[in-house]
Each structure stands twice: as C-alpha cells, then as structure tokens.
Amino acid sequence: MLKIGSYTFHSRLFLGTGKFPSADIQKEAIQKSETEVLTFAVRRMNIFDPEQPNFLENIDLSKFTLLPNTAGAKTAEEAVRIAKLAKAAGMCDMIKVEVIGCDKTLLPDPVETLKATEKLLEEGFTVLPYTSDDVVLAKRLQELGAHAIMPGASPIGTGLGIINPFNLSHIIEQATVPVIVDAGIGSPKDVAYAMELGADAVLLNSAVSGAKDPVKMAEAMKYAVIAGRLGFEAGRISKKYYAEASSPMEGLIRL
Amino acid sequence: MIVTINGVKKEIPENIRTVERLLEHLQVQDKKLVVEMNGEILNKDQHGQFRLKSGDVLEIVHFVGGG
C-alpha cells in the first residue's frame, strides 16, 4: 500500500494523460494500466471553439485520484496560481508542482520549486514536487513538508531512462515520504529498475502514450511496476566478482 | 461591453450581465471549468452573482491531457 498524505493507493503506477493518439486508446490504456492516479494540465479553454475534443471528457474522472500539474509555470507565483485554479474545480487537493527552469532540457527550477512547494503547503494542498535528481534538494523539499518527492529519471519526454541511479538511490534511502520517479522513463525495463531501486511509485506519460501500441505498453508497465516492487521487497543477491556454481560441488561424476 | 477573456478582447452583448450568462453565451456552461475574474477565482455556485462590467479580465480554464 502506498500512502501519500491522506491518500492510499494499491497501484504504484501513476499515469499522465497527455498526447494519446485517440480518446479510445487513452481510455483503454488507462484501464489496462490499472492506475488509480491520473495527472493532467490546466489550460485556457478555447472559448472560440468549445466543441474541440478534450479526451478527458471521455473518462469518468470520479473513479480516480486526480493529480493536476502546474506545467507551464516558470515561477513559483505562476505555479501557485495554476494550483489554485485546479483546486477550484473541486475535484482534488493534490498538486504536482512543476516549475520549469530551462526550455531546452525542461529541467525544473529548484529555487522556484522550493518556493512554490512552501506556499502550497501553507495553503493546505497535498504537494508532490517534481524535482531533478538532486539529493540535497529532495531533502530540503521533504523537510518543508512535501507529501512525496518526484525526482526525474531523465528529462521529460526523452525516454532515456534512469541516467543517475546513484543519486536516485540516495534520494530513496534518505526519504521519509514516498519517492515517485517521474519523467524520462522509456520502457518497462526502466520502470522495473526504478522500483528495484526502492522507488515507491512511478509516473509515466510519453512512455505509454507514445508507444506504438499504448494499450499494450500500459499493461506492460503495470507488470513492470509489480515485478520491480516485488524484486525490491524480495532483496536481490549481491554482485560478486567471481562465479559461484549454483549446482552442488559434491558427488561430481568423474571419468 | 468589452471584456478580456483568456487574453482576447471580446465584445459581448449588453444583456449579458453575469458570469453565469457569459458562460451560456459562450456555450460552455456544461463544461467542467474554472473562472478567474480580475485575478480572483470564482466558486462555481457564485457564477450567477458575479456581475460583469466593461474592462473585466476573465480567465476560463479547464483540465487537459498532461503528464
């Protein structure tokens, strides 16, 4: 069981809702993933063409815990405004703080992320900041009272997987709140790796929505999360420099 | 009167006097949305009470797919 603030989840897979090829594929992928948490963004409505399709209207959002993000924000102030708008919809008090500090890498701005987290905690939100894999920053966010830490595996949408397992392990080891690996994951292998390192959950979007078959990938990711988590709980063997036979050395048949 | 909606100046008929009526005029009254007027977020049940005047700045936002 995964606990974040006052929420409890069975599934350790959080799914983003961006860039799916169609509403039906998105719906089916969500189903197959068995996720309980969906993320989404807050944007201006196109009031001059209100009939343009919005895939989210296809999903019964009441069945999920909703985790809106503050994507698009470049300052703490903008992030707080987006968070308040999201909360006003009356469907959630969780917020993924995402304050981008670099357009090329989409890496988060650590200073603004910290400020936004502090402010939103004061306002009573359940706050999950998206952060780089900086060990000290993760600690500072946790000390502020963040309800979970969401370090990126690698930059958003790159599919490069976990590029710094060392940092990620340290973040996980020192964590007193759940660690959700967010961003950069490309394949089920990356998911299993994150979970084996001891992550409490993963948040995926492009890895599923951009796959050749998003529905099948959603299912694959579900199993990867389960396999990785079980592997972590089971405790892997240590790595050795020399071979060690798994068959007995006694009773060898000789010529 | 002229109000700014989502960054665009828009002429709206004079008989539209509340946010609730404006949403109907824009045909978005049944959508899940949040309205911010002059920097203040409005509660959904208050849309009928907020009166519009020329020069008001409104943001009408909703949830879209995102990660």
Side-chain angles (χ1 to χ4, degrees), chain A residues 173-250:
Chain A
E173 197 183 301
Q174 74 182 10
T176 54
V177 294
V179 175
I180 303 161
V181 175
D182 178 11
I185 282 174
S187 70
K189 176 196 77 172
D190 301 334
V191 167
Y193 190 17
M195 298 305 293
E196 270 192 67
L197 288 174
D200 295 279
V202 293
L203 195 168
L204 309 171
N205 191 339
S206 308
V208 173
S209 66
K212 208 184 287 177
D213 183 341
V215 176
K216 197 167 269 187
M217 189 57 87
E219 193 174 12
M221 294 302 195
K222 177 188 81 177
Y223 290 123
V225 167
I226 294 169
R229 180 68 191 180
L230 284 174
F232 168 72
E233 288 174 3
R236 61 153 294 153
I237 61 164
S238 57
K239 292 181 183 179
K240 297 187 185 89
Y241 195 67
Y242 295 106
E244 190 181 308
S246 48
S247 304
M249 296 304 288
E250 298 84 41

Side-chain angles (χ1 to χ4, degrees), chain A residues 25-251:
Chain A
I25 289 175
Q26 182 183 54
K27 195 174 183 176
E28 208 181 328
I30 290 170
Q31 237 163 35
K32 286 284 184 193
S33 76
E34 290 181 20
T35 185
E36 293 167 274
V37 181
L38 294 177
T39 70
F40 48 88
V42 180
R43 288 289 179 271
R44 280 175 166 171
M45 184 175 263
N46 186 349
I47 48 156
F48 304 107
D49 182 14
E51 291 311 314
Q52 67 170 350
N54 182 351
F55 293 174
L56 288 183
E57 287 173 5
N58 205 31
I59 302 162
D60 181 1
L61 296 179
S62 66
K63 288 185 176 162
F64 300 90
T65 297
L66 306 183
L67 176 60
N69 65 36
T70 65
K74 291 194 166 180
T75 65
E77 199 185 346
E78 285 171 358
V80 169
R81 185 185 180 201
I82 295 170
K84 285 180 175 174
L85 284 166
K87 196 178 184 178
M91 296 194 285
C92 48
D93 77 341
M94 262 196 176
I95 189 78
K96 168 180 160 181
V97 174
E98 180 175 340
V99 189
I100 299 302
C102 168
D103 288 336
K104 203 171 179 180
T105 59
L106 295 181
L107 286 171
D109 183 321
V111 178
E112 296 299 314
T113 300
L114 207 64
K115 281 191 209 163
T117 299
E118 188 168 26
K119 180 80 178 134
L120 289 168
L121 286 166
E122 278 170 24
E123 300 265 352
F125 283 82
T126 300
V127 186
L128 293 76
Y130 161 61
T131 163
S132 60
D133 55 18
D134 187 295
V135 178
V136 180
L137 180 61
K139 197 173 172 197
R140 294 289 296 269
L141 287 164
Q142 179 174 292
E143 283 166 2
L144 274 181
H147 297 85
I149 307 291
M150 305 219 286
S154 49
I156 296 171
T158 60
L160 289 172
I162 298 169
I163 53 176
N164 196 337
F166 175 83
N167 274 20
L168 207 52
S169 293
H170 277 290
I171 290 173
I172 291 165
E173 197 183 301
Q174 74 182 10
T176 54
V177 294
V179 175
I180 303 161
V181 175
D182 178 11
I185 282 174
S187 70
K189 176 196 77 172
D190 301 334
V191 167
Y193 190 17
M195 298 305 293
E196 270 192 67
L197 288 174
D200 295 279
V202 293
L203 195 168
L204 309 171
N205 191 339
S206 308
V208 173
S209 66
K212 208 184 287 177
D213 183 341
V215 176
K216 197 167 269 187
M217 189 57 87
E219 193 174 12
M221 294 302 195
K222 177 188 81 177
Y223 290 123
V225 167
I226 294 169
R229 180 68 191 180
L230 284 174
F232 168 72
E233 288 174 3
R236 61 153 294 153
I237 61 164
S238 57
K239 292 181 183 179
K240 297 187 185 89
Y241 195 67
Y242 295 106
E244 190 181 308
S246 48
S247 304
M249 296 304 288
E250 298 84 41

Side-chain angles (χ1 to χ4, degrees), chain A residues 17 41 43-45 69 81, chain B residues 6 36 59-60 62 64 67:
Chain A
T17 56
R43 288 289 179 271
R44 280 175 166 171
M45 184 175 263
N69 65 36
R81 185 185 180 201
Chain B
N6 292 354
E36 186 193 70
E59 290 286 340
I60 303 175
H62 66 155
V64 298

